[in-house]
Amino acid sequence: MRGWRAVRTIIAFEMRREWTGVLVTFLFACYFGIIFSGSAIDPADRSAAARFYEGVRDWVYLFGFPLFGCMMNRTIFAYWRDDPFTRRIAHWRTMPIPLSAIVGARYAQAVLMTAIVGSGFIALQYAIHGGFRERVELSDWIAAGLVWIAYGFVIQSAYILLELGFAGKTFVKWYLGYSAILALLCALLAWQDVNVFDEVLAASTARPLLWSAVALAAFAAALWTGSRLTLRRMQRRRYTF
């Protein structure tokens, strides 16, 4: 198989096999979207409780958006022990499936999942919280949402490179390391009375068209660069059962 036919075949196979992962990812986003539907904290409230909430909210956004491009299932918890994705690719390599199709299918899945789940997460917060709608115009919130979705896909591109181009243990080490750095960064920012969420919202409110364009450009650049780096890495590594 060649070209888009191979990509479509892999995507269809993965979606039939992992449809529960798609559902769990969407429910994960809905859960946190509902929890943080009260994100419109009064900016004048600088109490310790408000700053703690803002730090947790920043961590959820920074940690969660890159996960929206993944399908959450039992397979992801076996990265360290069984390295299932390396085994799966090794199996696919015994078939007439080019590496470019494997990379293309994974990125197509990530684009769809990030866009759909990320948009649902953003829309749910705006729809549920009336006070938030009074503070933020819909156009400004869409611009901020695009920035977060673009951020999520940029990090997701790095995850895909690790997922397809390296052994499972390497992926887990980098993933846990990045998660720990995010937690420390959010704690430090909260301590310094700085929160990423409000900074992104303020910038998007000031120049919604500019930041929407920047977000779309970053998304496209991550797709172009990430797919090519991943393909080059896969061409160099060895796959074994």
Side-chain angles (χ1 to χ4, degrees):
M1 290 183 290
R2 296 289 178 181
W4 282 106
R5 180 184 176 188
V7 172
R8 290 195 302 269
T9 299
I10 295 174
I11 292 176
F13 172 79
E14 287 292 292
M15 295 301 287
R16 285 195 300 268
R17 184 175 183 273
E18 305 288 0
W19 67 269
T20 54
V22 177
L23 179 61
V24 170
T25 302
F26 184 76
L27 292 177
F28 168 84
C30 290
Y31 173 74
F32 280 105
I34 292 172
I35 288 180
F36 288 96
S37 62
S39 294
I41 298 176
D42 184 358
D45 185 359
R46 305 322 306 152
S47 65
R51 285 189 291 171
F52 173 79
Y53 178 88
E54 289 171 349
V56 173
R57 180 184 59 192
D58 284 350
W59 185 82
V60 168
Y61 268 67
L62 291 169
F63 172 79
F65 268 89
L67 294 183
F68 292 163
C70 301
M71 291 188 292
M72 298 182 187
N73 49 42
R74 290 177 296 177
T75 302
I76 66 174
F77 298 108
Y79 270 58
W80 184 275
R81 185 181 67 253
D82 299 326
D83 200 358
F85 284 95
T86 296
R87 293 174 178 270
R88 185 179 302 176
I89 296 171
H91 178 68
W92 283 344
R93 294 296 289 150
T94 65
M95 305 176 185
I97 300 176
L99 286 176
S100 59
I102 297 174
V103 174
R106 182 63 184 89
Y107 269 90
Q109 173 201 327
V111 168
L112 290 173
M113 291 285 293
T114 300
I116 294 173
V117 178
S119 298
F121 176 83
I122 292 294
L124 189 60
Q125 292 184 71
Y126 198 83
I128 289 179
H129 198 276
F132 191 57
R133 293 194 298 274
E134 295 176 1
R135 176 189 170 192
V136 184
E137 294 292 336
L138 178 59
S139 59
D140 299 335
W141 183 237
I142 291 175
L146 288 174
V147 171
W148 283 111
I149 289 172
Y151 155 78
F153 187 73
V154 169
I155 303 303
Q156 173 67 198
S157 295
Y159 286 169
I160 294 174
L161 173 60
L162 292 169
E163 175 188 305
L164 300 182
F166 296 85
K169 289 185 178 181
T170 301
F171 175 91
V172 172
K173 289 176 182 178
W174 280 94
Y175 175 80
L176 293 178
Y178 182 69
S179 300
I181 290 172
L182 285 182
L184 292 174
L185 176 63
C186 291
L188 177 62
L189 290 175
W191 179 53
Q192 294 295 318
D193 199 14
V194 176
N195 69 87
V196 180
F197 178 89
D198 280 346
E199 293 296 329
V200 170
L201 188 56
S204 301
T205 301
R207 295 180 176 85
L209 292 179
L210 172 63
W211 285 106
S212 296
V214 169
L216 293 174
F219 194 102
L223 175 61
W224 189 88
T225 304
S227 60
R228 279 154 180 78
L229 290 176
T230 302
L231 179 58
R232 290 176 186 175
R233 173 60 191 173
M234 292 180 71
Q235 289 170 339
R236 293 197 304 268
R237 71 169 294 197
R238 300 178 63 183
Y239 295 93
T240 57
F241 286 97

